[in-house]
Amino acid sequence: MKLSEFQRAVTDEFGSGYGQALLTDLVLGELGGRTAQEALNAGIPAREVWLALCRETGVPQSHWYGAGMPAPKR
């Protein structure tokens, strides 16, 4: 997962304002007590951060995979 895909997934799932608040305020225990932004800055892969964020916030598993990918053109 690229960083741009991660950012799109966060916005798509949580909205831009709340998503940004989660990235900077929510401490994720499984990432060593870091926020998502701190984890990304520390070099933890975006996919790993995304999955930790999903688990912590109760995002349904059906939204975990393929998140952040642009919708196919019709």
Side-chain angles (χ1 to χ4, degrees):
M1 172 180 255
K2 296 177 184 178
L3 185 56
S4 61
E5 293 168 341
F6 171 83
Q7 292 166 336
R8 187 178 309 119
V10 169
T11 299
D12 288 350
E13 188 63 39
F14 302 107
S16 61
Y18 183 58
Q20 288 305 308
L22 285 176
L23 293 180
T24 58
D25 295 342
L26 181 64
V27 174
L28 302 167
E30 72 179 89
L31 297 179
R34 298 176 173 109
T35 66
Q37 190 61 59
E38 290 169 338
L40 292 169
N41 292 345
I44 296 175
R47 178 54 126 189
E48 191 175 325
V49 176
W50 169 246
L51 293 176
L53 187 61
C54 287
R55 285 188 284 271
E56 183 68 28
T57 58
V59 171
Q61 280 190 336
S62 61
H63 294 203
W64 291 11
Y65 299 100
M69 302 298 289
K73 295 181 181 179
R74 295 180 185 202

